[in-house]
Amino acid sequence: MFASKSRLLSDRISYQLLLLRNKGSTASCVHKSTIIRANNTIRYFTKSSITNEKLTQKQERAKKLLEEQLKSPYRLIRWAAIARTEQFQKGLTKYLVGIYIVFFLYGGYIMRKLFNREKELEALLKKDDKDKNQWEKLREKELDKDQKLRTRDELKLKQYQLLKEEYGIQNFDGIVIEDYEDTKHLVERITGQTLKEDDAVLEQFKKEQQVPNILPPRDTTDFYDSKARKYDSDIGMEEKIVFMGSKRKWLTSHCKGDVLEVSCGTGRNIKYLDPTKLNSVTFLDASRNMVEVTQEKFRNEYPGFAKAAFVVGKAEDLIDLDKKNQVKYDTILEAFGLCSHKDPVRALKNFEQLLKPDGRIILLEHGRGDYDFVNKVLDKRADNRLETWGCRWNLDIGELLDDSGLEVVEEKRFHLGTTWAIVAKRKGAAKKKEEIGFIEKYIGSSVRKRANEFIDHDDKIANQQKTDLPENKK
Ligand SMILES: C[S@@+](CC[C@H](N)C(=O)[O-])C[C@H]1O[C@@H](n2cnc3c(N)ncnc32)[C@H](O)[C@@H]1O
């Protein structure tokens, strides 16, 4: 064994010497194959045989490492090792074809679903509004990307589903579910059955479907009167943490011409106003003490601005308050006010009446968020919030807007959807150039267009049939 090793060594040395001697002239031929005589034996010793040997050692090491990794306690290392095995690599094509088939089938399933949805929406859009039952209207809202499904709509759709699946009701004609109607009450009303308090189906429904804890509205004037002088210091840190300053900047950036700020509070938006864009500004709040703080702040900030008014009054009474004045506004803004009004929808309707035809209502409000886990917290802490801040922070602001009849031009959501930034206009008022988005401008809603084409087509046929009728049958 020792002898053979030393022979191998001497052969290698001879080979290296030979290489040196032939360097330059015949190097290439030596590289390919060299015959070395040693101890009467002929050995073929080439460079490639040396590298082969190294390669084999390397392969051995890699094989060993792979075997170790296949037994690794860590899943990722094990998977990476499996992917390197010969067996896996051979089977890869099979797996790829399998994955491709799964994707193909899934894609087909999704396409079919989308196609069916579009067909259903088309049929609903074709139907006259007065002929649709509540479920059909909600379903249309759910399918149409141009419409927004609100919290109460989602709950109602789930309640309809429950009526269908658990109580076998197939025809929803004549059924109207009230906003946030108690599900037990609803089922009993529709089916005529009496359900137990701990009915298993209802318990399951409650578990799966979160029912918002919307507290009744209340007058908060006294609350804010007592809070006025410490309001800024109490709320300051909370606002800093969530960078509310930038949102207030967004709000006031829309202010121009004659401006009305409702629920002005302590005038926290004043420092973001650009007085050069304003003709006049009116601040209104139900709390006298809050208005006083606003007035002090405004006079300090813009001492030369004369056309400023400070009014104590409620948003719900705006029309009466403004009767003598009859001023119409270019911009009506409100920050975190709707949540503390007794009748927020009435307030919004008043805003619409006081708006110039091309005026805008700009709102920065807090309300329900985009996620269930967030809304669960808001609902759970609703009582606490009302006590501490006098506001109902879990309202769906979109519902208030829908009920007011205003048209939303822009709706942005921040802080997990709990901060609502809204630009709204009077119903039917034209959109401004900068408010028309790219998609709306160039593509529009294809489904709506197609539905309108159908309606036009049907109308044309009906008219044609009428003209074809003999005179006495018309
Ligand atoms: C949460 S504070 C917001 C104050 C201020 N807008 C801000 O951004 O800090 C709510 C304000 O709305 C006022 N408010 C509540 N109900 C009102 C109503 N019906 N009409 C006018 N102001 C009202 C309160 O007095 C209070 O100043």
Side-chain angles (χ1 to χ4, degrees), residues 220-221 224 231 239 248 261-266 268-269 284-287 290 313-316 335-337 339-342 389:
T220 55
T221 313
Y224 282 103
Y231 183 79
E239 288 210 353
R248 289 187 182 276
E261 179 171 359
V262 182
S263 306
C264 60
T266 54
R268 292 183 69 78
N269 296 318
L284 174 116
D285 198 285
S287 152
M290 294 292 255
K314 292 197 171 135
E316 293 89 334
F336 311 114
C339 56
S340 48
H341 291 348
K342 199 159 183 196
W389 288 108

Side-chain angles (χ1 to χ4, degrees), residues 23 42 94 98 130 246 305 323 347 372 396 430 448 470 474:
K23 205 175 179 189
I42 298 173
K94 220 164 45 190
K130 62 178 186 324
S246 63
F305 196 97
K323 241 178 196 157
D372 280 352
D396 185 325
R448 198 176 288 282
K474 272 185 193 173

Side-chain angles (χ1 to χ4, degrees), residues 9-253:
L9 193 68
S10 72
D11 283 357
R12 273 194 191 171
I13 294 165
S14 321
Y15 171 73
Q16 292 296 337
L17 287 172
L18 208 70
L19 272 182
L20 282 173
R21 219 180 301 145
N22 291 302
K23 205 175 179 189
S25 56
T26 53
S28 60
C29 97
V30 172
H31 272 234
K32 277 181 192 145
S33 165
T34 308
I35 302 168
I36 298 173
R37 287 172 192 281
N39 301 338
N40 297 327
T41 56
I42 298 173
R43 286 181 62 83
Y44 294 89
F45 209 86
T46 63
K47 185 168 184 190
S48 60
S49 73
I50 291 174
T51 40
N52 275 348
E53 201 178 314
K54 276 188 190 163
L55 212 64
T56 330
Q57 282 171 5
K58 226 177 169 180
Q59 280 169 346
E60 280 298 316
R61 274 204 304 274
K63 204 174 152 194
K64 222 171 153 191
L65 184 71
L66 183 68
E67 273 161 16
E68 274 167 23
Q69 286 179 345
L70 281 170
K71 288 179 208 147
S72 165
Y74 302 107
R75 211 179 293 167
L76 278 181
I77 296 179
R78 241 178 14 244
W79 287 349
I82 290 171
R84 276 167 29 230
T85 56
E86 210 174 306
Q87 200 185 356
F88 180 85
Q89 306 227 332
K90 273 186 192 157
L92 196 61
T93 325
K94 220 164 45 190
Y95 295 130
L96 284 178
V97 171
I99 290 170
Y100 177 76
I101 291 172
V102 170
F103 267 96
F104 185 75
L105 291 177
Y106 186 66
Y109 166 75
I110 297 283
M111 293 302 285
R112 212 185 126 97
K113 229 175 143 180
L114 286 175
F115 177 76
N116 288 342
R117 279 174 73 107
E118 193 152 319
K119 277 260 153 252
E120 191 184 345
L121 176 61
E122 228 168 67
L124 286 169
L125 286 171
K126 266 178 81 178
K127 206 169 173 180
D128 207 319
D129 253 356
K130 62 178 186 324
D131 298 333
K132 289 176 200 162
N133 61 34
Q134 188 188 41
W135 179 79
E136 285 170 326
K137 284 181 187 161
L138 288 168
R139 186 74 183 136
E140 181 187 312
K141 232 178 172 187
E142 190 180 29
L143 296 172
D144 189 354
K145 285 190 186 68
D146 292 345
Q147 300 187 51
K148 285 217 164 93
L149 211 59
R150 306 297 183 190
T151 311
R152 61 184 173 198
D153 302 330
E154 280 170 12
L155 178 62
K156 281 179 198 169
L157 278 167
K158 287 272 158 56
Q159 288 173 324
Y160 273 115
Q161 199 181 338
L162 181 84
L163 288 174
K164 191 174 180 179
E165 286 172 6
E166 299 292 338
Y167 300 95
I169 296 170
Q170 300 296 329
N171 185 354
F172 296 134
D173 283 348
I175 296 179
V176 176
I177 303 179
E178 301 295 324
D179 289 353
Y180 301 112
E181 184 170 349
D182 175 60
T183 310
K184 180 173 177 285
H185 177 264
L186 168 74
V187 174
E188 288 181 341
R189 180 167 70 82
I190 304 297
T191 62
Q193 302 175 15
T194 310
L195 301 178
K196 281 195 274 176
E197 275 311 316
D198 61 346
D199 182 87
V201 174
L202 288 182
E203 287 297 307
Q204 186 61 26
F205 182 79
K206 266 189 220 159
K207 247 188 232 166
E208 285 166 12
Q209 184 60 38
Q210 195 192 341
V211 182
N213 170 28
I214 307 294
L215 298 170
R218 54 156 103 163
D219 191 302
T220 55
T221 313
D222 291 341
F223 175 87
Y224 282 103
D225 263 339
S226 66
K227 195 107 189 151
R229 290 289 156 185
K230 48 184 188 232
Y231 183 79
D232 280 342
S233 57
D234 283 359
I235 198 102
M237 189 46 79
E238 192 179 304
E239 288 210 353
K240 262 192 192 130
I241 291 170
V242 295
F243 302 105
M244 200 54 87
S246 63
K247 307 292 170 280
R248 289 187 182 276
K249 255 186 215 160
W250 170 86
L251 179 80
T252 49
S253 69

